[in-house]
Amino acid sequence: MSGREGGKKKPLKAPKKQNKDVDEDDVAFKQKQKDEQKALEALKAKASGKGPLSGGGIKKSGKK
């Protein structure tokens, strides 16, 4: 049982991130993804104003 064993261990240092070489295809792809995300957000906002699409759950008959 050595003295260093117990207690809180120090976290390992994460290596520094290197700047990647970004080419035009990556830029175009990322821009396309952003545009698609904005379109999805707009559709979600538009659909949220309406009620539920299906009644869902257990359907009850009119009989008592």
Side-chain angles (χ1 to χ4, degrees):
M1 188 165 146
S2 65
R4 274 288 276 151
E5 193 136 345
K8 189 174 182 182
K9 304 222 183 214
K10 291 185 178 181
L12 296 174
K13 289 186 179 179
K16 293 183 179 179
K17 293 183 181 179
Q18 297 176 351
N19 292 336
K20 291 191 235 174
D21 294 334
V22 181
D23 56 359
E24 295 171 11
D25 293 337
D26 288 340
V27 173
F29 180 70
K30 287 189 179 193
Q31 185 64 36
K32 184 179 175 185
Q33 280 188 327
K34 282 183 184 180
D35 292 341
E36 288 175 358
Q37 186 67 25
K38 285 181 184 178
L40 282 174
E41 296 281 333
L43 287 174
K44 282 183 187 178
K46 186 177 180 183
S48 67
K50 299 178 182 177
L53 295 175
S54 61
I58 301 171
K59 296 190 178 186
K60 298 179 181 177
S61 63
K63 299 179 185 176
K64 282 194 172 182

